[in-house]
Amino acid sequence: MSKLYVVPTPVGNLDDMTFRAVEVLKNVSLILCEDTRTSAGLLKHFEITTRTASHHKFNEHKTCELYAARIQAGEDIALISDAGTPAISDPGFMLVRACVALGVEVECLPGATAFVPALVDSGFGCESFMFAGFLPQKKGRQKKLAALAALDMTVILYESPYRVLKLLGEIREHFGAQRRVSISREISKIHEETLRGTPDELLGTFADRQPKGEFVVIIDKPQNTKDDEESTEGDPTE
């Protein structure tokens, strides 16, 4: 049965590409790319000569049903984004939904997603978390932050280098000045860096240098010593 393959690509280091991802991309009839120019280097590196077509946020609402119908008719098509897993703060959701509506099989390969290594590197609790992606730039931003601040779990956000300082100030306002925050940038690249501290401490880090690279911002859940102590009661290891 023909299917849509959702294929993660490296967020930095090309060695993070899986053998299976390369095999799939070599054998499908078409690769849908967020940006064919960006993907060209990746495909050339792995000697993948499959035809490509653009599928991005500006045209996906017009083309997703067309590609879903082509898969239903017998084509195997792969979907990739510029980096990471498609549909995770990247185009792809609409195509997957269109395929599901037609009864077309969808298979998402395991692979790179920027927020997972950032979450683990933070040292914060990973047992429950809210991935909120990019916040609205204007309308609804403060309301969204207030809603996230009310959650009793780790919160994960994506932010550009142009707004990350603004975001740290907003975290201080909504989550509190003592809330622990971890920010990671350039994950799996040469200049990969993770910084941890309060919002003010992190703002101080950038007092004499401009933020560079895309950021994953991890906000620790509220610290409640009483609840943490009670959660260990009855644990045979304690």
Side-chain angles (χ1 to χ4, degrees):
M1 180 182 294
S2 57
K3 65 175 70 174
L4 169 68
Y5 291 93
V6 181
V7 181
T9 56
V11 296
N13 194 319
L14 291 182
D15 288 342
D16 293 336
M17 190 76 166
T18 68
F19 292 115
R20 185 179 172 206
V22 173
E23 182 180 6
V24 166
L25 294 179
K26 284 185 175 181
N27 287 286
V28 294
S29 61
L30 179 67
I31 302 172
L32 301 179
C33 309
E34 183 178 1
D35 188 324
T36 55
R37 296 164 299 180
T38 300
S39 298
L42 173 78
L43 300 179
K44 182 179 180 180
H45 180 81
F46 291 105
E47 300 180 342
I48 298 168
T49 59
T50 307
R51 291 185 303 115
T52 62
S54 294
H55 184 79
H56 46 71
K57 65 180 181 180
F58 300 109
N59 71 359
E60 62 176 337
H61 63 287
K62 298 178 181 178
T63 60
C64 60
E65 293 183 359
L66 169 65
Y67 287 124
R70 286 175 58 171
I71 299 170
Q72 185 183 46
E75 285 191 67
D76 281 322
I77 293 179
L79 172 68
I80 64 176
S81 60
D82 289 347
T85 301
I88 304 297
S89 292
D90 277 328
F93 159 71
M94 288 186 179
L95 179 57
V96 171
R97 182 176 62 182
C99 287
V100 171
L102 288 179
V104 169
E105 186 175 355
V106 178
E107 182 172 354
C108 182
L109 277 60
T113 301
F115 78 78
V116 174
L119 173 61
V120 175
D121 286 347
S122 72
F124 302 159
C126 302
E127 68 280 358
S128 63
F129 57 86
M130 166 65 76
F131 172 69
F134 287 98
L135 292 171
Q137 292 187 27
K138 295 181 181 179
K139 185 178 180 180
R141 184 180 178 92
Q142 301 308 313
K143 183 177 180 180
K144 182 70 173 180
L145 280 163
L148 293 172
L151 299 176
D152 187 22
M153 62 180 66
T154 303
V155 173
I156 305 170
L157 300 169
Y158 285 164
E159 192 54 274
S160 77
Y162 309 107
R163 287 186 297 274
V164 70
L165 299 184
K166 174 184 176 181
L167 176 60
L168 288 171
E170 292 169 328
I171 292 171
R172 176 180 56 200
E173 177 185 351
H174 289 278
F175 291 78
Q178 298 306 312
R179 185 66 65 91
R180 296 187 301 172
V181 182
S182 174
I183 55 176
S184 297
R185 70 181 190 93
E186 301 292 89
I187 291 173
S188 84
K189 298 179 182 178
I190 295 175
H191 300 293
E192 178 176 355
E193 181 180 36
T194 294
L195 301 170
R196 306 171 186 86
T198 65
D200 283 336
E201 288 170 341
L202 293 174
L203 283 168
T205 300
F206 294 105
D208 57 356
R209 63 177 172 124
Q210 290 293 320
K212 294 182 179 180
E214 297 297 320
F215 285 84
V216 184
V217 180
I218 314 292
I219 308 168
D220 198 9
K221 70 176 185 178
Q223 298 302 298
N224 189 322
T225 304
K226 185 175 185 294
D227 287 348
D228 290 343
E229 290 175 351
E230 290 177 350
S231 68
T232 62
E233 292 183 4
D235 187 339
T237 63
E238 294 296 320

